[in-house]
C-alpha cells in the first residue's frame, strides 16, 4: 500500500495559468491568459481542474485546436487528475471611438456587405455569411437594405410582413436569423422609385425603428455602388466595418475597389475582400476552370493593405438553393461552395475580433 507521503499535491492556479500562457492567438498575437480568455478556474483538493475557455467569437477558426492544446497542457501538469474544460464565446463590442448614442441598442457589431456593381452575388454572399455565423452559435440579424432590388426575402423563403409593437417593427425569423427587408415592407413585386431623402429615411428607420434584440452581428446587405444608402449607413451607426464582394475580372474589380475607397473615406474599416465566382469545376473533367480570371481580389487586397477573406466557386448549388429559399450553407453544407462560405465567415469573425481587441489592455494574472 502506497504511503500518503508520496501523494502529489494539486497544482496551484499559477501553474495552470503559466501552462495556458503558451497558447497564442494567431490573429491577436497575444497569449490567451493576458487576453482574458481563461475564466472561472477552479482546482479541487484531489487535483481536478475546471475552467472556461472564452473565445472571442463562436465562429473561431482555431476553436478545436485551442481546446485540444489547452486540455493537453493542463493534463500534463503534475498533480492534475482530471480536466473539465468548457469552450464558450463572448463577442466583444468594437473600439471604434463612436458615441454609444449612435449605436443600435443590443447590437454589438454592424457589418456592411457592399459591392461596386450589381450581379456579383453580393446578396447571396450576405445571406450565407449571416447563416454561417448563426450556425457557429452567434446571434445574428440580417438587414436587407438593397432598396433597389431587395432579394433577401426570396433567398430565405420569407413573404410575411413584419408586425408592429410599440411603434417599432418586429423582425421576422428564418433559419435562426432575425430579418428585416424593404421588400417585406413595400411588397417584393412592387417597383419602387427612390430619391435621396427617402433612401436615407428608409435606411435609418430599418436600423432604429426595429426591435433587433440582443445580437452579436447585424449583417447589412447594401445596394451596389456608392449611393445614398451606403452614405446613410456609414453616418447613422458605428459600423464595425465593410466587406466588399467582387468577381475576378478587372472591370468588375476596379468598380468594387471604388466602393472600398469610399468607405475608407468615411472612416469605415475594411474587413476584407471576397472573390465570388472565382472558379468552376467541370462535371466531366473535374478540373477547376477560371472563367472570369482568378486571384484579382487577393492581389488587390495585398496592394491596398486590406484583408483577403477568401474565394467562392461558381457553383450551381448556391444559385439553386437561393432560388429555393434556403442558404446553401444550411441546406447543402457538404458542397465546396458551402465550405468556402463557412471558411470566409470564420475569417470575417476573426477579423472583427482583432478590431475589438485592438485597444484592449494586457491582463496580468499572477
Amino acid at each position: 500500500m502506497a504511503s500518503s507521503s508520496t501523494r502529489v499535491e494539486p497544482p496551484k492556479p499559477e501553474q495552470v495559468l503559466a501552462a495556458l500562457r503558451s497558447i497564442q492567438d494567431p490573429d491577436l498575437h497575444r497569449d490567451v491568459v493576458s487576453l482574458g480568455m481563461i475564466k472561472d478556474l477552479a482546482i479541487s483538493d484531489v487535483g481536478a481542474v475546471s475552467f472556461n475557455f472564452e473565445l472571442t467569437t463562436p465562429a473561431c477558426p482555431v476553436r478545436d485546436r485551442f481546446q485540444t492544446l489547452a486540455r493537453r497542457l493542463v493534463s500534463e501538469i503534475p498533480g492534475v487528475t482530471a480536466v473539465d474544460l468548457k469552450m464558450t464565446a463572448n463577442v466583444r463590442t468594437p473600439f471604434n471611438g463612436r458615441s454609444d448614442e449612435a449605436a443600435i441598442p443590443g447590437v454589438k457589431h454592424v457589418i456592411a456587405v457592399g459591392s461596386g456593381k450589381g450581379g456579383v452575388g453580393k446578396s447571396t454572399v450576405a445571406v450565407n455569411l449571416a447563416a454561417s455565423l448563426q450556425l457557429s452559435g452567434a446571434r445574428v440579424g440580417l438587414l436587407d437594405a438593397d432598396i433597389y432590388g431587395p432579394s433577401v426575402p426570396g433567398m430565405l423563403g420569407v413573404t410575411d410582413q413584419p408586425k408592429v409593437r410599440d411603434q417599432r417593427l418586429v423582425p421576422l425569423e428564418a433559419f435562426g436569423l432575425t430579418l428585416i427587408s424593404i421588400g417585406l415592407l413595400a411588397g417584393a413585386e412592387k417597383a419602387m422609385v427612390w430619391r435621396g431623402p427617402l433612401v436615407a429615411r428608409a435606411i435609418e428607420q430599418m436600423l432604429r425603428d426595429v426591435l433587433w434584440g440582443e445580437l452579436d452581428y447585424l449583417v447589412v446587405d447594401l445596394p451596389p455602388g456608392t449611393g445614398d444608402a451606403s452614405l446613410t449607413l456609414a453616418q447613422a451607426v458605428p459600423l464595425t466595418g465593410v466587406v466588399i464582394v467582387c468577381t475576378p475580372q478587372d472591370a468588375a474589380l476596379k468598380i468594387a475597389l471604388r466602393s472600398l475607397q469610399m468607405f475608407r473615406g468615411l472612416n469605415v474599416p475594411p474587413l476584407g475582400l471576397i472573390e465570388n465566382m472565382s472558379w468552376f469545376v467541370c462535371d466531366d473533367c473535374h478540373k477547376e476552370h477560371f472563367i472570369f480570371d482568378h486571384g484579382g481580389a487577393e492581389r488587390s487586397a495585398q496592394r491596398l493593405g486590406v484583408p483577403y477573406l477568401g474565394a467562392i466557386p461558381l457553383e450551381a448549388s448556391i444559385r439553386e438553393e437561393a432560388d429555393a429559399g434556403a442558404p446553401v450553407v444550411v441546406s447543402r453544407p457538404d458542397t465546396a461552395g458551402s465550405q468556402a462560405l463557412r471558411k470566409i465567415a470564420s475569417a470575417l469573425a476573426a477579423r472583427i475580433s482583432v478590431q475589438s481587441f485592438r485597444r484592449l489592455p494586457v491582463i496580468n494574472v499572477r
Side-chain angles (χ1 to χ4, degrees):
M1 182 174 178
S3 172
S4 60
S5 61
T6 62
R7 177 178 178 269
V8 179
E9 292 294 321
K12 303 295 185 184
E14 295 79 9
Q15 293 175 270
V16 176
L17 293 173
L20 292 172
R21 275 197 180 92
S22 64
I23 304 177
Q24 294 280 323
D25 186 284
D27 297 305
L28 299 170
H29 306 293
R30 282 167 55 182
D31 70 88
V32 299
V33 175
S34 68
L35 287 168
M37 294 183 181
I38 307 304
K39 306 284 188 181
D40 303 323
L41 174 61
I43 303 172
S44 73
D45 293 338
V46 296
V49 178
S50 65
F51 61 95
N52 293 338
F53 197 131
E54 186 181 85
L55 302 169
T56 58
T57 173
C60 178
V62 291
R63 176 192 179 99
D64 293 341
R65 181 159 66 88
F66 276 174
Q67 183 174 17
T68 300
L69 186 55
R71 188 179 298 278
R72 179 175 63 80
L73 287 170
V74 175
S75 65
E76 291 175 350
I77 300 172
V80 172
T81 58
V83 179
D84 181 11
L85 166 58
K86 294 180 181 178
M87 301 298 291
T88 62
N90 178 29
V91 177
R92 315 292 177 97
T93 54
F95 291 91
N96 48 27
R98 296 282 294 273
S99 169
D100 289 341
E101 295 179 357
I104 303 172
V107 178
K108 293 182 178 179
H109 293 280
V110 182
I111 307 163
V113 180
S115 65
K117 62 189 294 295
V120 300
K122 169 185 56 61
S123 296
T124 304
V125 171
V127 167
N128 281 282
L129 287 180
S132 295
L133 292 170
Q134 191 278 330
L135 286 172
S136 74
R139 300 165 298 179
V140 186
L142 182 57
L143 169 57
D144 181 9
D146 191 346
I147 56 176
Y148 304 112
S151 55
V152 169
M155 293 180 182
L156 292 173
V158 176
T159 58
D160 296 335
Q161 285 195 343
K163 296 180 180 179
V164 177
R165 183 194 306 158
D166 299 328
Q167 298 184 327
R168 299 177 72 186
L169 293 172
V170 179
L172 301 176
E173 292 191 11
F175 300 98
L177 302 170
T178 54
L179 166 69
I180 284 292
S181 170
I182 193 67
L184 298 172
L185 305 178
E189 305 299 326
K190 185 177 180 180
M192 301 294 292
V193 179
W194 295 90
R195 297 185 182 274
L198 293 178
V199 171
R201 192 182 312 158
I203 298 297
E204 289 186 5
Q205 286 185 330
M206 287 192 294
L207 287 168
R208 302 197 180 282
D209 294 343
V210 174
L211 296 170
W212 287 111
E214 299 292 325
L215 296 178
D216 295 315
Y217 307 103
L218 175 60
V219 178
V220 182
D221 179 32
L222 288 172
T226 57
D228 291 309
S230 299
L231 292 171
T232 298
L233 181 66
Q235 295 167 352
V237 295
L239 288 175
T240 298
V242 61
V243 175
I244 299 297
V245 180
C246 58
T247 47
Q249 63 266 44
D250 286 343
L253 188 57
K254 288 177 181 177
I255 298 173
L257 295 180
R258 292 176 195 163
S259 180
L260 176 65
Q261 299 291 40
M262 183 273 290
F263 278 103
R264 270 184 157 175
L266 295 170
N267 295 318
V268 176
L271 294 172
L273 293 177
I274 298 173
E275 184 172 277
N276 195 22
M277 309 180 195
S278 187
W279 73 90
F280 172 76
V281 177
C282 173
D283 290 338
D284 295 326
C285 67
H286 304 291
K287 292 182 179 179
E288 293 182 354
H289 299 275
F290 305 113
I291 300 174
F292 302 118
D293 201 358
H294 179 68
E298 184 173 13
R299 291 189 295 271
S300 296
Q302 293 174 349
R303 186 177 74 253
L304 295 173
V306 302
Y308 174 66
L309 297 177
I312 304 167
L314 178 63
E315 195 172 80
S317 63
I318 299 177
R319 189 271 307 166
E320 291 167 355
E321 296 307 304
D323 288 346
V328 71
V329 296
V330 175
S331 55
R332 298 175 69 174
D334 295 330
T335 63
S338 290
Q339 294 172 11
L341 285 158
R342 291 293 299 270
K343 186 177 180 180
I344 288 172
S346 291
L348 173 61
R351 179 63 188 172
I352 292 171
S353 295
V354 170
Q355 288 194 184
S356 299
F357 273 86
R358 185 166 292 166
R359 299 180 189 174
L360 190 70
V362 174
I363 298 175
N364 292 314
V365 182
R366 297 187 184 277

